[in-house]
Structures are given as structure tokens and as C-alpha cells.
């Protein structure tokens, strides 16, 4: 299973986010770890909430997103005091997508802290490549 690690130094008053481009095959499981840091110090995300959203276009409405993951549903906070989390995409998230060719989507990860401050901490593109096998398992 592919695993990718990324880092961010975004601050609550900083509009710049870490850009990370991802690739996967349709119908695969993909997990990647993310670490939130400010000035090389971990961000404590205790009691925080995360949203991971994938859309065909940046301007697509949220209710038309192809993938939405949230804390406890695809996003696991591995170590809250060290700002470590794991995002997992399962086969069901992509295996029914109609992809006549390799397609690139847009994604972001938003974080809301315990004070209600929301910030986009990661953004990027997700390229989903066609697969050959349409069944899972032997």
C-alpha cells in the first residue's frame, strides 16, 4: 500500500498551505501520513477536526465532491500532541468512478482547532490512473 509523508509550516494567520500532489490507481487503498508543524514545532491537534475533500474542479460544490473524509471516517489522528494524522482512501472511494483516461482531481485538507479557527493546511492534485482488474481479491 503506498504511503506518502508530508510536512506543513502553515500558521493560523498564514494563507500559504503545503502543496502535495498524489497519484493512485482507481480502486486501490492509499494511506498517507501528514504532520502539522509551525516553525518546526508540532501543532497539538487534540480535539481538532479534519476534512479531506476531493473534487473534479476547485469550484465544484462540496455536495458534488467525489471523496470526503473526516476525523474518525477515513482520517485518524495518530498522535494529537505531535500533530500526526493518517488519511486513508479505501477501494470503494474510487472503484466506481468512470475514468475513460487518467484523470486529475483537486484536494485539500482543512483543520478546525478547539477554538473554532479553520484553516486549509494542505492542498494539491490527486491523479487517479485507470486500473486493469475490476474485481477485488482472487
Amino acid at each position: 500500500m503506498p504511503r506518502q509523508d508530508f510536512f506543513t509550516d502553515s500558521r493560523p494567520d498564514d494563507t500559504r498551505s503545503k502543496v502535495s500532489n498524489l497519484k493512485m490507481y482507481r480502486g486501490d487503498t492509499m494511506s498517507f501520513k501528514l504532520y502539522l508543524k509551525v516553525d518546526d514545532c508540532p501543532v497539538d491537534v487534540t480535539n481538532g477536526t479534519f476534512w479531506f475533500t476531493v473534487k473534479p474542479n476547485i469550484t465544484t460544490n462540496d455536495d458534488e465532491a467525489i471523496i470526503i473524509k473526516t476525523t474518525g471516517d477515513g482520517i485518524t489522528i495518530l498522535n494529537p500532541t505531535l500533530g500526526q494524522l493518517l488519511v486513508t482512501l479505501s477501494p470503494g472511494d474510487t472503484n466506481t468512478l468512470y475514468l475513460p483516461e487518467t484523470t486529475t482531481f483537486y484536494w485539500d485538507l482543512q483543520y478546525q482547532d478547539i477554538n473554532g479557527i479553520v484553516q486549509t493546511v494542505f492542498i494539491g492534485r490527486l491523479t487517479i490512473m485507470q486500473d486493469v482488474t475490476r474485481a477485488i481479491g482472487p
Side-chain angles (χ1 to χ4, degrees):
M1 157 171 46
R3 186 175 299 270
Q4 302 182 27
D5 296 326
F6 304 107
F7 296 84
T8 183
D9 62 353
S10 295
R11 297 174 180 91
D13 59 348
D14 186 352
T15 58
R16 294 171 297 153
S17 298
K18 180 70 176 175
V19 176
S20 300
N21 296 320
L22 308 169
K23 287 185 179 183
M24 68 178 294
Y25 284 99
R26 173 180 44 199
D28 282 4
T29 299
M30 182 174 77
S31 295
F32 51 97
K33 285 184 184 176
L34 300 170
Y35 303 83
L36 275 65
K37 293 185 175 191
V38 172
D39 296 329
D40 265 347
C41 296
V43 174
D44 188 338
V45 297
T46 301
N47 298 320
T49 304
F50 290 91
W51 296 270
F52 175 85
T53 306
V54 178
K55 299 178 180 180
N57 297 296
I58 293 173
T59 58
T60 301
N61 291 328
D62 285 350
D63 60 352
E64 298 175 37
I66 64 163
I67 300 170
I68 296 178
K69 299 292 182 180
T70 59
T71 308
D73 181 25
I75 299 176
T76 304
I77 299 175
L78 300 173
N79 188 324
T81 57
L82 294 179
Q84 297 176 350
L85 57 134
L86 180 71
V87 178
T88 301
L89 304 181
S90 62
D93 293 325
T94 61
N95 67 359
T96 60
L97 289 176
Y98 174 70
L99 299 177
E101 57 189 33
T102 296
T103 305
T104 299
F105 300 92
Y106 297 88
W107 71 274
D108 72 4
L109 182 80
Q110 290 191 334
Y111 166 61
Q112 182 174 359
D113 69 16
I114 59 173
N115 298 314
I117 295 172
V118 177
Q119 55 183 322
T120 301
V121 291
F122 290 93
I123 60 173
R125 292 186 173 106
L126 170 64
T127 300
I128 302 178
M129 300 168 287
Q130 297 173 333
D131 57 335
V132 175
T133 304
R134 298 286 186 251
I136 297 174

